Amino acid sequence: FHAGNGTGDESGAAFHIPPFSELVTMMWSSGTSKEDVEANVVRNAKQVAYKVPVQKIVLRPQYAFFEYKVRTSDNVELVLEGTIFWAVKDVPRMIERTGDPKGDVWYHARSALIQAVSKV
């Protein structure tokens, strides 16, 4: 992309897509449905249940709530609740490697927590 205000000063606030480029729509996991997103309703769901369209990648820190059922090595069931904070650092690399970074982060965190608790 190109950022600028047309005067040659690159500190402008407008973003321009270069010629022959296109805007891509990705489907990212979300705990909130598309209808709730459009109505500005936040449900704070603790699992990824929907896919929502994303055209603009936010580079600010983002978060996802979770609630995982895990078992210890002696088969005691625990419920872990929390918040995962994450951010996109390298957009081209992310585009290359995944179409759903939020879902990937959520499931990777789930897997890591299940493995850690199962050793207790």
Side-chain angles (χ1 to χ4, degrees):
F1 68 89
H2 170 74
N5 56 12
T7 63
D9 178 16
E10 296 299 321
S11 63
F15 292 93
H16 306 281
I17 297 175
F20 307 108
S21 296
E22 62 183 89
L23 198 55
V24 175
T25 301
M26 298 172 287
M27 298 302 286
W28 285 16
S29 295
S30 176
T32 306
S33 70
K34 181 181 174 185
E35 294 76 24
D36 287 344
V37 170
E38 290 170 356
N40 293 321
V41 174
V42 178
R43 299 232 183 257
N44 293 336
K46 294 181 178 145
Q47 59 184 0
V48 289
Y50 304 98
K51 294 280 190 171
V52 294
V54 173
Q55 287 186 328
K56 299 171 188 162
I57 299 169
V58 178
L59 299 178
R60 296 185 309 258
Q62 299 182 50
Y63 63 92
F65 297 105
F66 69 85
E67 181 178 298
Y68 306 137
K69 288 184 181 179
V70 297
R71 291 194 178 270
T72 61
S73 60
D74 56 352
N75 208 26
V76 174
E77 185 175 83
L78 300 174
V79 177
L80 302 178
E81 290 186 52
T83 307
I84 303 165
F85 291 92
W86 63 284
V88 175
K89 297 280 186 190
D90 186 348
V91 175
R93 187 173 176 194
M94 181 203 72
I95 296 291
E96 217 174 73
R97 299 193 177 195
T98 183
D100 181 14
K102 185 173 184 176
D104 288 354
V105 167
W106 195 88
Y107 284 110
H108 183 75
R110 179 177 181 266
S111 176
L113 285 169
I114 288 171
Q115 286 180 1
V117 171
S118 71
K119 295 176 184 176
V120 174

